Amino acid sequence: MDTETFADYILSEPNWVKKMEIVYYLQKRTGIFYDNSVVFKTMLAKQFLDRTNLGLDKNIILTACLLCNCKKTTNAQELSKVKLFAKEGAEYLKKLGFSDRFCKICEGVNRYSYQEEREKESDVLELVDQFGGMLLSRPERVAFKVDEALVLLEYRNLRDKNNRYLEQFKKFVNEMEAVLI
């Protein structure tokens, strides 16, 4: 008899808001990292995926967006922890029953772990994680304006890196900003 894993449970939930609730309760039970920044970045990912036709599995990406930072440290000054959280998170997610591919997607949220071939979904996570993070204030800095964050994303964070969805993401951000002005 097969037993359902946490991975099966959350991946089978079609409603992304209910997925957030599931992760909220997981955080309460286990202490994983889950705060408003995760919700914001997941909403950003959903908007991006809803407005583009990337041919990717939205369920996988939104679930990964909710969980890829599960072992993130709240102290950004601990560079060694910052460099390891995605790898530690992927190992943790494996214990919850997620596939090797899903864990690789989550580990690819940043580029601290070398991956010979990055998963396409990791590129989406990277964009929303970095861009979304710049739009939020932190204790050490205020939030960047949208245009500043976009420039920093392209010319600093992703300089000399191949993110296959950067151009679509920039177009999405510019279109969304035009609608809001």
Side-chain angles (χ1 to χ4, degrees), residues 9-178:
Y9 175 63
I10 194 166
L11 287 169
S12 68
E13 175 54 63
N15 184 311
W16 72 281
V17 175
K18 289 184 180 175
K19 284 181 187 289
M20 288 192 299
E21 187 176 343
I22 292 167
V23 177
Y24 170 79
Y25 286 111
L26 178 67
Q27 186 269 335
K28 290 294 179 196
R29 290 184 57 102
T30 65
I32 64 166
F33 181 84
Y34 181 74
D35 68 2
N36 290 338
S37 69
V38 175
V39 174
F40 176 71
K41 293 171 186 179
T42 303
M43 291 177 67
L44 181 62
K46 182 177 183 325
Q47 293 298 313
F48 176 55
L49 294 170
D50 286 349
R51 286 168 173 74
T52 55
N53 186 16
L54 303 179
L56 301 174
D57 186 328
K58 290 179 187 178
N59 182 42
I60 295 289
I61 293 173
L62 294 178
T63 306
C65 205
L66 289 168
L67 293 167
C68 68
N69 289 311
C70 65
K71 292 297 178 178
K72 186 175 183 176
T73 180
T74 54
N75 184 358
Q77 305 306 317
E78 291 182 53
L79 193 56
S80 62
K81 291 274 190 194
V82 170
K83 289 185 174 186
L84 286 176
F85 83 83
K87 183 170 184 47
E88 290 173 352
E91 292 166 0
Y92 176 74
L93 294 172
K94 183 71 178 164
K95 292 176 185 173
L96 295 180
F98 288 96
S99 69
D100 288 340
R101 183 172 182 278
F102 183 90
C103 295
K104 184 179 177 188
I105 289 167
C106 290
E107 188 173 347
V109 68
N110 60 36
R111 294 181 187 248
Y112 289 121
S113 297
Y114 173 75
Q115 294 183 354
E116 194 166 309
E117 288 188 41
R118 281 174 58 82
E119 298 293 331
K120 292 177 180 181
E121 296 85 352
S122 295
D123 282 358
V124 174
L125 292 183
E126 177 180 58
L127 290 168
V128 298
D129 189 65
Q130 291 191 27
F131 181 75
M134 286 188 274
L135 296 182
L136 299 170
S137 292
R138 294 185 181 167
E140 69 274 9
R141 66 155 174 81
V142 297
F144 290 98
K145 294 177 184 171
V146 170
D147 59 336
E148 294 171 334
L150 209 50
V151 168
L152 288 171
L153 178 69
E154 182 176 11
Y155 294 105
R156 182 190 68 190
N157 296 17
L158 297 178
R159 188 181 76 211
D160 301 328
K161 301 200 173 38
N162 179 26
N163 186 302
R164 65 196 101 199
Y165 303 115
L166 177 60
E167 292 306 314
Q168 292 99 317
F169 190 76
K170 287 173 17 187
K171 182 179 177 193
F172 157 75
V173 169
N174 288 324
E175 288 172 358
M176 292 303 293
E177 192 171 34

